[in-house]
Amino acid sequence: MSQKINTSISETDRVAVPQFLVISFLTIFAIGPQYFSNLAYTMNQGIVQNGLNASSNYLLYPSILSNIAFALGVPFGPILTRKWGLKRNYLTFVLIFLIGSIINATTPDLQVLAIGRIIQGLSAGMLFLTILPVSLRSFPNKIRNVFLLMVISGLFGSSAVGAFFGSVSLSLDAWRWLYLLNIITSVLSLAVGSVALPKHDDHHQEHTPVDKTGVFILTLLMIVLSIPLCNLVEKGFTSLYVWPFFLMAFILVVVFILFDLKASTPIVPFSSLKAAKPISGTVMAVASHISLIFALAGINGFLRNNKDLPYEYLAHFYFWFFIGVLVTAVLKTLLFDILGAGILGMIGSLGVIYVSCNWIFITPAVTLDTLYFQVAVLGAGISMTLVSGALGTALAGDIHKASMRSVTLHSIRNFIGALMSPLLAWFITTENALHYGNIRSYLGQNDSETNAELVNLTKHFMENGLPATMAKNMASYELIANTKRAAILGAYHNLFAILLGIGVIMFLASIGKAVTGKGRTLVQKPKRMMLPAPKEQGSQETAN
């Protein structure tokens, strides 16, 4: 009863920040900047090209190589965390990301920018599964569903915020300040992480042997794959810089999978997905990732080339994309444990299918309000299905093997995502050229219609005060410009048709996930302890 209680001001007056909030902060500020930079660069490639006097043939290199580096880093993060411990691993790769950000902010040319983006991608990939599982475990059981609010709004939302700020950079005609934001987030992560993360953790004592053969094959695979992906758009599949390296990469993929299946400590434990639940969840997540790449590339191109929106309206557009992500974050937090990953994935997939059906026939006459609504639905649908698939896979089966399933899923997802961006760029370029050739051929075969159109355009320009010669030149220019816009619109229509097919795959995979059962919930109900009934007093007295 006479215990001494320390009532010093330092302990009684200090308000401790909940650990899950600190870890959430460290998660968002470590991984989010990579997604932010990817989408920002997608938006402002034009001003980067002008600022660095770069050739358009090499503009895709920084994003392609960064995505490959990220995909390479994802499976290595947990391995290094077990070897070095959480704090050391986290601070090391945040510091490396900071170095990459400084390089990008001060880069004199596109080659150095590509190096900086590779450094950013590799370090962010290492951090992905270093800190994300810790973030989930840091949430108390009774509010563990709030993890979904953090991961969707913070990480998925980083892509939307990146697109928004990329649009803003177009209006400002300046892009280096975006990497200054990366520097700020890295410095904050270093400052908070050095104080808040534990010096020692349970994983630090684990000395699981690393499959060095798997590390070598996977690294070699990514290096080989970078060559055809960087040359695909410019040279096409028939080039010797493309198809032989794709063939080598395919062989390395097969060899890597075979070695990993036999390894005692695999880099990517593919065998952890040998069941219907994790397989359906993986398909949901991977298909959703692909749909995000297709949808944003297609609609961004349409807005820039066909709708010809002012830059400030592009920012408004991606603001509504972010709103859709936030809506999903709230709904998923409230409904995941009630409905399960499968049903929520079905709802999200229907949103993607709805938007795809509309965009297949999209024209420049579509109103901005309609586009704002549709992109909000798209953001909500893709994020709903992707996170449902990812979390549903992790929670499908033995909880002690959840980390293995997560490593496999995210490794596959990011590997395929790194492939899709250059393949998509090649597809749009090829389709655009095909449609342009078809339209020009049609115009050549119908000279009377073409000449009538030129006469009408010439009259229109002359009525607006142009001399006859200049009016004829403007009419020819306008006809060519209209032909190019029609060609690229046809390419986008075909892309959105593929997006519809991906949406159907997402829906079917979600049905499979729902059919196999709702699965484990995030918030676990406490188990009731059954106490033995007390003996009756009368029987005790009789015995006595």
Side-chain angles (χ1 to χ4, degrees):
M1 296 296 295
S2 59
Q3 291 177 340
K4 293 181 180 181
I5 301 175
N6 189 337
T7 58
S8 63
I9 294 177
S10 61
E11 294 194 10
T12 58
D13 291 356
R14 182 172 56 189
V15 178
V17 179
Q19 184 73 358
F20 69 90
L21 290 180
V22 176
I23 300 297
S24 297
F25 173 89
L26 295 175
T27 302
I28 294 171
F29 275 49
I31 306 170
Q34 171 68 7
Y35 298 140
F36 173 92
S37 298
N38 283 348
L39 267 293
Y41 185 79
T42 299
M43 298 298 299
N44 63 17
Q45 287 182 24
I47 60 174
V48 173
Q49 179 184 6
N50 295 334
L52 299 177
N53 295 317
S55 169
S56 59
N57 294 332
Y58 307 115
L59 271 180
L60 291 177
Y61 284 17
S63 58
I64 291 173
L65 296 174
S66 179
N67 288 334
I68 291 174
F70 184 88
L72 176 62
V74 167
F76 293 153
I79 295 173
L80 294 178
T81 301
R82 289 193 294 268
K83 184 176 182 179
W84 292 349
L86 171 63
K87 185 171 186 175
R88 182 181 175 187
N89 201 51
Y90 180 87
L91 296 179
T92 298
F93 287 108
V94 169
L95 179 61
I96 294 174
F97 188 90
L98 173 60
I99 294 170
S101 301
I102 294 172
I103 291 173
N104 292 335
T106 59
T107 179
D109 53 45
L110 197 65
Q111 289 78 10
V112 177
L113 179 65
I115 293 172
R117 293 291 288 125
I118 291 171
I119 293 172
Q120 282 188 314
L122 184 62
S123 55
M126 296 286 191
L127 286 166
F128 186 78
L129 290 179
T130 292
I131 192 65
L132 193 60
V134 178
S135 180
L136 174 59
R137 293 194 298 267
S138 70
F139 281 81
N141 175 63
K142 61 181 179 180
I143 59 167
R144 189 157 289 163
N145 56 331
V146 180
F147 167 78
L148 293 170
L149 183 65
M150 182 279 296
V151 76
I152 296 175
S153 61
L155 299 184
F156 208 98
S158 295
S159 297
V161 174
F164 175 84
F165 276 89
S167 303
V168 172
S169 71
L170 291 173
S171 300
L172 300 175
D173 194 24
W175 55 272
R176 293 182 187 270
W177 63 275
L178 295 171
Y179 293 108
L180 293 178
L181 297 179
N182 286 171
I183 293 173
I184 293 171
T185 57
S186 298
V187 170
L188 290 174
S189 296
L190 285 173
V192 176
S194 61
V195 174
L197 291 176
K199 293 183 179 180
H200 302 282
D201 56 85
D202 296 337
H203 296 297
H204 189 67
Q205 301 301 322
E206 295 184 19
H207 298 286
T208 306
V210 178
D211 179 15
K212 295 180 181 179
T213 303
V215 171
F216 172 77
I217 296 174
L218 184 58
T219 304
L220 180 62
L221 165 63
M222 294 303 188
I223 294 172
V224 170
L225 194 59
S226 64
I227 298 173
L229 291 180
C230 287
N231 288 285
L232 178 60
V233 175
E234 182 184 0
K235 295 181 168 56
F237 272 102
T238 57
S239 170
L240 291 177
Y241 289 95
V242 178
W243 72 263
F245 291 95
F246 270 136
L247 180 60
M248 290 172 59
F250 175 76
I251 294 172
L252 287 172
V253 167
V254 174
V255 171
F256 176 73
I257 293 174
L258 292 176
F259 266 89
D260 237 39
L261 289 174
K262 296 179 180 179
S264 57
T265 55
I267 305 296
V268 182
F270 294 102
S271 59
S272 63
L273 300 183
K274 288 182 179 179
K277 280 186 178 182
I279 289 175
S280 58
T282 300
V283 174
M284 288 168 63
V286 172
S288 300
H289 191 138
I290 297 172
S291 70
L292 176 66
I293 296 170
F294 273 58
L296 291 185
I299 198 59
N300 183 54
F302 170 81
L303 294 175
R304 300 282 292 276
N305 297 310
N306 296 100
K307 192 69 175 172
D308 197 22
L309 280 183
Y311 295 144
E312 58 266 26
Y313 288 104
L314 284 175
H316 298 166
F317 181 80
Y318 287 106
F319 169 78
W320 282 103
F321 179 72
F322 182 61
I323 293 298
V325 172
L326 288 181
V327 170
T328 281
V330 174
L331 291 177
K332 201 163 185 64
T333 300
L334 298 174
L335 299 177
F336 182 83
D337 283 355
I338 299 173
L339 299 179
I343 293 178
L344 289 176
M346 291 166 63
I347 295 171
S349 304
L350 288 175
V352 176
I353 292 171
Y354 161 76
V355 174
S356 303
C357 288
N358 282 274
W359 285 359
I360 287 175
F361 307 103
I362 197 170
T363 67
V366 64
T367 65
L368 282 178
D369 289 340
T370 300
L371 286 174
Y372 293 157
F373 171 74
Q374 289 172 347
V375 79
V377 173
L378 182 79
I382 293 178
S383 58
M384 179 82 77
T385 311
L386 194 155
V387 178
S388 292
L391 196 57
T393 299
L395 299 177
D398 186 355
I399 196 63
H400 299 292
K401 296 182 179 180
S403 60
M404 298 173 63
R405 290 189 292 270
S406 290
V407 169
T408 307
L409 179 146
H410 290 296
S411 297
I412 294 172
R413 179 176 68 84
N414 286 289
F415 176 78
I416 294 178
L419 286 174
M420 282 299 110
S421 294
L423 287 173
L424 179 58
W426 169 84
F427 173 81
I428 293 176
T429 302
T430 304
E431 286 292 303
N432 181 37
L434 179 63
H435 282 281
Y436 184 69
N438 290 340
I439 294 173
R440 289 197 62 181
S441 177
Y442 173 82
L443 294 176
Q445 295 171 4
N446 297 272
D447 289 337
S448 58
E449 293 182 15
T450 305
N451 291 332
E453 180 68 18
L454 284 172
V455 169
N456 291 332
L457 288 171
T458 302
K459 288 182 179 179
H460 170 74
F461 289 123
M462 290 179 66
E463 289 172 357
N464 285 288
L466 290 179
T469 303
M470 188 175 293
K472 288 181 180 180
N473 292 335
M474 286 296 296
S476 299
Y477 173 81
E478 187 68 19
L479 183 63
I480 294 173
N482 288 339
T483 301
K484 290 181 177 180
R485 281 193 288 266
I488 194 65
L489 182 60
Y492 293 140
H493 284 166
N494 291 346
L495 185 152
F496 293 135
I498 297 174
L499 179 63
L500 174 60
I502 297 171
V504 172
I505 293 173
M506 293 163 59
F507 184 73
L508 294 176
S510 299
I511 291 176
K513 193 79 177 72
V515 168
T516 56
K518 189 172 69 172
R520 185 184 180 91
T521 60
L522 278 175
V523 178
Q524 296 292 302
K525 295 180 180 179
K527 296 180 180 180
R528 294 183 177 180
M529 299 296 293
M530 301 300 294
L531 298 176
K535 296 181 180 180
E536 295 182 5
Q537 185 176 0
S539 61
Q540 292 178 355
E541 290 177 353
T542 304
N544 291 333

